[in-house]
Amino acid sequence: MKILVLNGPNLNLLGIREPEIYGHTTYADLERDIQTWAAELALEVEVFQSNHEGILIDKIQAAYQKTDGILFNPAGYTMTSVALLDALKAVGIPAVEIHISDLSQREKFRQFSYIQMASFATIMGEGIQGYRHGLQLLKDHINSKA
């Protein structure tokens, strides 16, 4: 089972950016943890991060018929990108939206998600461990459809 783990803008600055919200784990640490969790779950993962909306759209489109699931932290594009929503809907790949922080406890403008409309689950506020949870949800969901 192949999972695409997509991370949006500024996640490359984990460990530097607002550690009181996102913690001290670096992006390299996150990538390593995802690979470890994927191996434990017998999943093949590709981890990808971009600060550019169009590149994320290209990655989603390239996953069509090649990827079983998408774990997506759209970061700042969560509440702004209809284009990312449309890309997810177009490919029809099961998706889980993930956020390190709990958006419902943050600024009001962060409490709406376009990406949620194309996701069968949303994980928020579990920190980095939420990625492991998301991988497990995807595996269980895909297996239930098989």
Side-chain angles (χ1 to χ4, degrees):
M1 187 177 304
K2 185 170 183 176
I3 306 297
L4 173 61
V5 180
L6 277 181
N7 289 293
N10 299 308
L11 286 165
N12 57 310
L13 296 178
L14 282 176
I16 299 168
R17 178 186 176 216
E18 300 177 277
E20 67 281 1
I21 295 173
Y22 301 104
H24 295 281
T25 301
T26 66
Y27 189 74
D29 295 335
L30 173 62
E31 287 182 305
R32 185 189 65 244
D33 289 347
I34 290 169
Q35 292 293 343
T36 299
W37 297 325
E40 291 170 1
L41 294 167
L43 298 171
E44 178 186 345
V45 293
E46 176 185 359
V47 182
F48 184 82
Q49 187 275 330
S50 180
N51 294 320
H52 304 282
E53 182 180 33
I55 293 172
L56 294 167
I57 291 166
D58 290 344
K59 203 69 174 166
I60 292 167
Q61 290 178 0
Y64 182 67
Q65 295 186 330
K66 297 176 189 158
T67 301
D68 300 299
I70 298 174
L71 180 59
F72 190 16
N73 185 338
Y77 290 132
T78 302
M79 60 290 302
T80 65
S81 184
V82 173
L84 284 167
L85 166 64
D86 288 348
L88 288 169
K89 289 170 68 175
V91 297
I93 299 169
V96 171
E97 175 187 22
I98 181 167
H99 299 282
I100 295 167
S101 66
D102 182 351
L103 300 183
S104 71
Q105 301 301 309
R106 301 215 29 218
E107 303 94 335
K108 188 168 178 78
F109 71 87
R110 294 187 194 273
Q111 297 178 15
F112 173 79
S113 170
Y114 283 105
I115 305 309
Q116 193 172 48
M117 296 177 203
S119 303
F120 71 86
T122 299
I123 298 168
M124 290 190 293
E126 294 183 19
I128 298 303
Q129 288 290 321
Y131 283 84
R132 188 188 194 297
H133 183 190
L135 291 171
Q136 184 69 61
L137 280 175
L138 278 165
K139 181 178 182 176
D140 293 346
H141 180 80
I142 294 162
N143 282 338
S144 75
K145 299 292 181 190

